[in-house]
Amino acid sequence: MNEITISNNNGKLTVSSLQIAKDFGKHHKHLLETIESIKAENSAVTKMFIESTYKAGTGKTYKCYEITRDGFSLLVMGFTGKQALEWKLKYIEAFNLMESHIKTNKSLQTADDKSKTAEAKLMNARVRMANMYLKLAKVDTLSPDYKNILVAKSAEVLTGQALLPLPKSEKTYSAGDIAKMFGVSAQKIGRIAKANNMKTNEYGCWYKDKSPYSLKEVDVFRYNDKAVEKFKTIFK
């Protein structure tokens, strides 16, 4: 069996009039006459027969047609005989296979496009979050250790994995934590720290935190173990 070639002609599945003539045992010249007759009877079928050309072995160029599935059905409708019927079935199968192939490719392409869109949205979200961490890392009042943590966190969010282990940070305490240790108010701890110049890198570091009174971020100082020992000497 000769292989039937179905082409995708600008979104339309077509087959050459040359191939039809050969497979159905027709003279191509007579087949063209039949096509012209069909077109003359009803202009609506013109789009089913796309004019084209081919080059013969002599080098001369001749007219032919690229015929759509509907055009093929009209053209071979009157062809009779056992072999004609077999070829009709083979062509129908060839059109069906090509149509299925195109639909499958479109489905795969659509799925791939959706996947790429989802990946792009995820990456955009990661970039925004990474930039937020980098922006925080530029705040002058933050300690070097906290800045390093923010930079490392930015890289982790962007790549989806920790490129480097996050810097280990020492245990810290809020003013409220210190106040509970000595049975005083957090405000008093703040005043003592200010009076003794304790809000420095020696006794802790600055962090960004949410204000309990609003949604704004504020600078909050957290004390280290050395600061706790300093408060012990002050409260003796």
Side-chain angles (χ1 to χ4, degrees):
M1 183 186 76
N2 293 334
E3 183 179 354
I4 298 172
T5 302
I6 305 297
S7 303
N8 189 344
N9 197 322
N10 295 323
K12 294 181 180 180
L13 298 185
T14 63
V15 63
S16 171
S17 58
L18 285 168
Q19 183 168 318
I20 294 175
K22 179 180 178 181
D23 291 339
F24 284 87
K26 305 291 183 182
H27 288 292
H28 188 245
K29 177 182 178 181
H30 296 160
L31 192 69
L32 292 183
E33 291 173 354
T34 301
I35 293 173
E36 296 296 344
S37 176
I38 293 173
K39 290 173 59 180
E41 289 181 13
N42 192 328
S43 60
V45 304
T46 301
K47 61 184 179 180
M48 301 178 188
F49 300 93
I50 305 169
E51 289 192 20
S52 186
T53 59
Y54 72 97
K55 185 173 289 188
T58 59
K60 291 184 179 181
T61 301
Y62 296 94
K63 181 179 180 180
C64 67
Y65 280 96
E66 287 294 325
I67 304 170
T68 67
R69 184 171 190 157
D70 290 339
F72 169 79
S73 299
L74 283 175
L75 181 61
V76 305
M77 188 182 297
F79 295 175
T80 58
K82 182 179 179 181
Q83 286 189 339
L85 177 58
E86 289 178 356
W87 277 111
K88 288 178 185 179
L89 294 175
K90 291 174 183 177
Y91 270 77
I92 290 172
E93 182 182 10
F95 271 110
N96 287 340
L97 287 174
M98 187 63 173
E99 187 176 61
S100 176
H101 175 70
I102 291 175
K103 286 182 178 179
T104 300
N105 284 345
K106 283 185 177 179
S107 297
L108 291 175
Q109 185 176 3
T110 299
D112 186 52
D113 289 343
K114 288 182 178 179
S115 177
K116 288 180 179 178
T117 300
E119 288 178 3
K121 288 182 178 179
L122 177 59
M123 180 53 69
N124 287 337
R126 286 180 174 178
V127 169
R128 288 195 297 271
M129 185 173 291
N131 286 337
M132 179 190 72
Y133 282 120
L134 290 177
K135 184 178 180 180
L136 287 173
K138 294 178 181 178
V139 177
D140 294 334
T141 55
L142 298 180
S143 68
D145 285 345
Y146 193 40
K147 288 184 178 183
N148 287 335
I149 290 174
L150 290 172
V151 171
K153 193 65 179 176
S154 174
E156 180 180 336
V157 168
L158 193 59
T159 62
Q161 59 183 334
L163 301 181
L164 295 171
L166 291 177
K168 292 183 179 180
S169 56
E170 60 183 346
K171 185 176 180 180
T172 60
Y173 310 87
S174 68
D177 295 332
I178 302 293
K180 289 179 182 179
M181 294 180 188
F182 299 101
V184 297
S185 67
Q187 289 78 7
K188 185 173 183 178
I189 293 297
R191 290 195 297 270
I192 293 174
K194 184 177 181 180
N196 290 271
N197 194 30
M198 293 177 62
K199 290 187 177 182
T200 63
N201 291 337
E202 181 181 1
Y203 296 105
C205 54
W206 290 95
Y207 287 84
K208 283 288 182 181
D209 201 357
K210 294 288 185 182
S211 168
Y213 309 107
S214 69
L215 296 178
K216 294 182 178 180
E217 288 186 338
V218 294
D219 292 331
V220 176
F221 192 83
R222 293 186 65 86
Y223 303 90
N224 57 23
D225 288 328
K226 187 173 182 179
V228 174
E229 295 301 319
K230 177 73 173 178
F231 280 115
K232 286 181 180 180
T233 61
I234 294 174
F235 283 107
K236 278 185 178 180

